[in-house]
Amino acid sequence: MKRKLISVFALISLYLISFKLEAQESQKNLMGIFTGGEAVHHIGWFMSPEVRSFYNKSQFKDNKSLLVGGKLGLMINHSFYFGITGYAKIGDMRYEKQETTVGVGMGYGGLFIGKSFLFNEIIHPRIGLSGGYGGSSEYLMKDNVRGANHVAGFMYIEPELALEINISNHVRLVTGATYRIVNMSNFELLSTGDLDGLSINLAIVFGKF
């Protein structure tokens, strides 16, 4: 867990270092919270449908599964992202527990902040961080039929590292990786670490950048 927290703090530090350390008095405004004091000279928007392949090393039979979702929000100064995000798992994750098959469904969402570097280049890096709340349904399976169900909530944080490709003035292709860290859960059958893991992502970003 310490390694996970160190990774998150390192990403946040890199994100903050990318901002200007000082800002002129005339530049201070609400948007400056997200731009590190940089003057806001452009506000656009973005919408980003996304597919994720989630890799899990815990007790599940299948160590990878598919999630769909995306992001929606504001694009500030052509490079700062601020918005909402949400994802849901397609199908069930299953594992054996005391000769009983347990199925698990999952969905989560929250806030997203991100920054693109060298955004005028055709291919350029982006870092991001999202966090919020999710829910997991745990149920017993018998003959592929769902039985007793337990719904558990959890908090999560998810750092991101990605590459953006400028397709046109209003379209970007994004591919990268995120690592979800789940905490403060009230699972009945799962443990907190069961929903931690790496995701490989592919998204298309539409908007006024």
Side-chain angles (χ1 to χ4, degrees):
M1 187 64 183
K2 288 183 178 179
R3 291 183 179 179
K4 295 176 184 178
L5 292 175
I6 290 173
S7 298
V8 172
F9 289 144
L11 184 67
I12 295 174
S13 298
L14 178 62
Y15 187 86
L16 294 175
I17 290 171
S18 69
F19 295 149
K20 293 181 178 179
L21 296 179
E22 295 183 358
Q24 298 177 4
E25 290 297 323
S26 61
Q27 294 178 346
K28 292 183 178 179
N29 49 57
L30 182 60
M31 288 300 180
I33 295 174
F34 311 112
T35 64
E38 180 178 324
V40 176
H41 54 77
H42 173 81
I43 298 179
W45 60 273
F46 71 93
M47 177 179 63
S48 176
E50 185 174 341
V51 177
R52 294 184 168 188
S53 181
F54 168 50
Y55 294 86
N56 186 290
K57 294 184 179 180
S58 66
Q59 56 193 324
F60 295 105
K61 289 182 178 180
D62 298 323
N63 63 355
K64 62 180 179 179
S65 54
L66 196 65
L67 295 98
V68 295
K71 302 178 179 71
L72 176 67
L74 298 177
M75 176 74 76
I76 305 169
N77 291 354
H78 308 287
S79 62
F80 296 94
Y81 291 86
F82 177 69
I84 57 175
T85 182
Y87 301 90
K89 190 185 176 307
I90 296 179
D92 303 322
M93 296 183 290
R94 300 185 182 186
Y95 69 93
E96 300 295 329
K97 184 179 178 69
Q98 298 177 350
E99 300 183 354
T100 301
T101 300
V102 178
V104 178
M106 177 180 64
Y108 62 96
L111 297 178
F112 171 77
I113 56 173
K115 177 173 171 56
S116 296
F117 298 88
L118 306 173
F119 60 87
N120 284 323
E121 300 295 328
I122 294 178
I123 301 177
H124 53 271
R126 183 181 85 184
I127 60 174
L129 184 68
S130 63
Y133 187 79
S136 172
S137 58
E138 307 163 317
Y139 43 86
L140 302 179
M141 302 289 297
K142 185 175 182 180
D143 299 326
N144 288 322
V145 178
R146 295 185 182 186
N149 183 62
H150 172 72
V151 177
F154 59 84
M155 303 291 290
Y156 80 95
I157 189 170
E158 194 167 37
E160 173 195 71
L161 181 62
L163 287 177
E164 295 186 324
I165 303 173
N166 292 336
I167 305 299
S168 72
N169 291 336
H170 301 288
V171 180
R172 291 176 179 174
L173 181 66
V174 180
T175 181
T178 58
Y179 193 92
R180 183 174 59 256
I181 301 169
V182 171
N183 201 359
M184 296 178 66
S185 60
N186 58 344
F187 298 127
E188 184 173 288
L189 301 174
L190 298 176
S191 63
T192 296
D194 285 334
L195 297 184
D196 290 355
L198 176 73
S199 291
I200 304 300
N201 316 323
L202 181 64
I204 300 178
V205 184
F206 304 97
K208 181 182 179 183
F209 306 137

